Amino acid sequence: MPRRLVSGPHALAFLPALALAAHLLGGAWAMMILATGLSLYLWRMGGLDFLNERGLIAAPPSFLDAPGASAPVDRLLADARDMNQSAACLLIDVGGLDRVGHLNGSAAMRAAQDLCLARIKGHLRVGDAAFRIGDARFLVLVGPAPRLDLEALLQLGARLQSAIEDPASLSETTHFLTASIGMAHSRRCAADISGAGFLDAAEAALEEAHQHGTSALRAWSPTLERAVAKRRMIRTDVVAALEKGQIEPWFQPQLCTSTGRVSGVEALARWVHPERGVIPPGQFLPALERAGRLPRLGEVMISRSLAALHHWDIAGLDIPSVSVNLTEADLRDPHLCDRIKWELDRHDLRPSRLTIEVLETVLAGSGECTVARNVAALARLGCRIDLDDFGTGRAPIATLRRMPIQRIKIDRSFVTGVDTDADQRRILTAILSLADRLSLDTLAEGVESAGEHTLLAQLGCDHLQGFGIAEPMPLDSFDDWLPSHDAMIADIPLLSRKA
């Protein structure tokens, strides 16, 4: 209790009042003795500690290493509890700083870091603090304050975001940065939360912000924590799941528009978790990429897809080919072609039964690099090459002639609503006309309605794929689906494209 009475800025208010009383009662010497003695007492009791905390004696550092960041957060929370007030912690990731360094050098990057910190501090109150705790990460401590609620915190976050994202002129170049922010508010956390725990809450909110793209802002809540815990579980378990065989190909049929029969299947990765059920690729592929395990996933998908094709042959099911999407990491493997040839031989399959799907963005500007050499080698081996998501990337039209592409997969963004949208229909017609002039097959992705199906067939698209035909299925479900599909189309007359 005595420390509470002599702590904080109000401690200095005792000095002039007591000095005046000493002067009236005992003269100048009494005033000097009392003033000096009281100052020493306050210093010994910690009553002047706030000078250090507020940076009036020594300015706070501009940089803290990440492990050392919890200490000032502990002090912030302790002060908030002592005063029965609220506090907050913000973590800010600034996007684009690495590009500044790449284009203009390390000195420009340091200048950009300093500029961001200055802009952040320009929107804080006296008593708040900001630090850089990484190359592109900043920590802001807010409070304690009596009226710091979540709405005020969100408004502060929006102001900081706007300030950071103002164009920055550095080294005679204008740079455009982005800011993602995660926030933790002490009233929404446990009363006894530690500084490290408070930072973890802000980290969880920042991770959630990253899930919503650049320039997102999120505040911690128990619901958010559950979503983050799931993502962390995925990151922890996904590599082991891959080796245990839990990540497997599911198969989505592709139909020939002339016959209605299955002309092939695409293998799509699914994680069948023993407790959480089916986890879609959008949730686990980024974790595999961060772990550097995408090439291993490619190996698993090719091996198990060719095994499925061999299984269908033995069962007497007519599946002409299976398509597997290979990433840039897969296509940079100098042993890729030899490994695929070995897998084809092992399953006694002709290379033409395997279609390799390559994203347009992967081939863009690949030139004579390993990617282009591997694609050419696979084509010489006899595998078919599909250009995936055509129309969404930046590959020039010349890529269609320079690379050994045999089919383009038209992205679903050009397919959706083609039966009702005249502009969409004109764009799609132009793509199909281009493919016809270049003697390329076409496959439309994302077909979801009978109207889209019928119009695409009439426009001359060779193959279709989408939920309107069938969703991706595990191997045993596909074995049941195919005979029923063949029976359904047996008595249906062929659809003429000129109808």
Side-chain angles (χ1 to χ4, degrees):
M1 188 68 178
R3 189 183 188 281
R4 291 286 301 275
L5 292 174
V6 295
S7 296
H10 59 273
L12 293 179
F14 289 104
L15 289 176
L18 291 177
L20 179 59
H23 182 270
L24 293 175
L25 295 174
W29 281 104
M31 179 184 70
M32 292 176 61
I33 291 170
L34 187 113
T36 303
L38 181 60
S39 298
L40 288 172
Y41 174 75
L42 290 174
W43 174 71
R44 293 285 295 176
M45 291 293 294
L48 300 180
D49 287 351
F50 74 94
L51 294 174
N52 282 316
E53 293 171 3
R54 296 296 185 258
L56 299 178
I57 290 178
S62 61
F63 177 81
L64 287 175
D65 59 5
S70 61
V73 183
D74 276 324
R75 290 196 295 272
L76 173 76
L77 291 171
D79 288 346
R81 291 183 190 114
D82 283 347
M83 298 183 232
N84 195 27
Q85 294 180 354
S86 299
C89 167
L90 289 78
L91 285 177
I92 306 173
D93 273 356
V94 178
L97 288 175
D98 54 346
R99 187 171 183 272
V100 173
H102 177 72
L103 293 176
N104 301 107
S106 57
M109 183 172 177
R110 286 194 297 272
Q113 291 167 338
D114 292 342
L115 176 63
C116 288
L117 188 60
R119 287 179 171 181
I120 290 170
K121 289 181 175 179
H123 287 268
L124 301 181
R125 308 163 307 160
V126 174
D128 296 339
F131 314 90
R132 182 169 64 85
I133 59 172
D135 286 344
R137 178 164 292 188
F138 298 82
L139 168 66
V140 176
L141 303 182
V142 183
R147 290 183 296 275
L148 179 62
D149 57 15
L150 183 59
E151 182 179 354
L153 191 58
L154 290 169
Q155 291 174 356
L156 172 62
R159 290 196 299 272
L160 294 177
Q161 202 169 53
S162 177
I164 293 169
E165 294 182 351
D166 275 347
S169 297
L170 299 162
S171 301
E172 300 181 352
T173 304
T174 300
H175 297 276
F176 296 91
L177 306 175
T178 61
S180 299
I181 303 179
M183 306 180 294
H185 189 279
S186 61
R187 298 294 188 192
R188 306 185 102 199
C189 298
D192 60 348
I193 192 169
S194 66
F198 205 40
L199 278 171
D200 284 344
E203 175 77 34
L206 180 60
E207 187 174 328
E208 181 71 12
H210 282 310
Q211 294 296 311
H212 292 78
T214 57
S215 300
L217 188 153
R218 292 293 183 274
W220 184 90
S221 68
T223 302
L224 178 148
E225 182 64 29
R226 287 192 290 272
V228 171
K230 181 178 179 181
R231 285 198 295 272
R232 289 173 179 168
M233 176 279 297
I234 289 173
R235 287 201 301 268
T236 302
D237 296 349
V238 68
V239 173
L242 180 61
E243 298 306 324
K244 291 177 181 177
Q246 294 176 5
I247 299 178
E248 60 186 40
W250 284 25
F251 302 97
Q252 186 172 37
Q254 301 164 338
L255 300 188
C256 172
T257 54
S258 295
T259 65
R261 299 185 65 84
V262 172
S263 56
V265 295
E266 181 179 2
L268 299 163
R270 295 292 186 270
W271 179 2
V272 185
H273 194 281
E275 298 173 358
R276 297 177 181 268
V278 179
I279 300 176
Q283 294 186 19
F284 67 82
L285 286 181
L288 281 178
E289 183 176 13
R290 284 192 293 269
R293 303 297 288 170
L294 282 183
R296 175 57 182 156
L297 176 64
E299 294 175 13
V300 169
M301 292 295 291
I302 288 174
S303 178
R304 298 189 66 171
S305 297
L306 293 179
L309 205 53
H310 182 69
H311 158 80
W312 289 321
D313 287 350
I314 293 173
L317 301 176
D318 183 18
I319 307 295
S321 69
V322 63
S323 301
V324 179
N325 196 313
L326 295 186
T327 66
E328 185 172 359
D330 296 319
L331 292 166
R332 290 192 180 281
D333 179 2
H335 306 293
L336 175 66
C337 193
D338 291 338
R339 193 175 68 249
I340 288 179
K341 185 177 185 302
W342 184 85
E343 288 285 356
L344 287 165
D345 291 342
R346 183 165 77 95
H347 292 98
D348 193 26
L349 295 169
R350 299 187 311 276
S352 59
R353 305 284 302 280
L354 175 63
T355 298
I356 301 298
E357 296 189 10
V358 185
L359 285 169
E360 182 181 356
T361 50
V362 171
L363 285 185
S366 59
E368 295 303 318
C369 70
T370 306
V371 171
R373 288 196 296 270
N374 270 334
V375 171
L378 289 169
R380 287 194 300 270
L381 180 63
C383 298
R384 293 177 58 83
I385 307 297
D386 280 6
L387 185 62
D388 198 9
D389 289 352
F390 180 76
T392 62
R394 53 185 175 87
I397 298 298
T399 301
L400 298 175
R401 304 306 302 156
R402 179 169 54 84
M403 304 299 293
I405 296 162
Q406 291 149 312
R407 182 169 68 176
I408 60 174
K409 295 189 69 176
I410 303 169
D411 186 73
R412 69 187 63 201
S413 61
F414 299 109
V415 173
T416 302
V418 70
D419 56 327
T420 59
D421 188 330
D423 290 337
Q424 190 84 317
R425 193 155 52 248
R426 282 190 286 270
I427 294 171
L428 189 60
T429 300
I431 294 173
L432 293 171
S433 177
L434 172 66
D436 184 58
R437 294 293 184 92
L438 296 175
S439 300
L440 296 172
D441 284 346
T442 52
L443 186 152
E445 299 181 283
V447 178
E448 298 195 355
S449 71
E452 292 169 355
H453 186 149
T454 301
L455 186 60
L456 284 162
Q458 292 175 351
L459 290 175
C461 188
D462 301 304
H463 307 273
L464 306 177
Q465 175 181 347
F467 281 17
I469 297 166
E471 296 184 10
M473 296 168 272
L475 181 62
D476 54 353
S477 297
F478 191 89
D479 289 352
D480 296 333
W481 177 87
L482 184 61
S484 63
H485 172 76
D486 287 345
M488 180 183 68
I489 66 170
D491 298 326
I492 298 177
L494 299 183
L495 176 64
S496 170
R497 292 179 177 173
K498 299 185 182 300

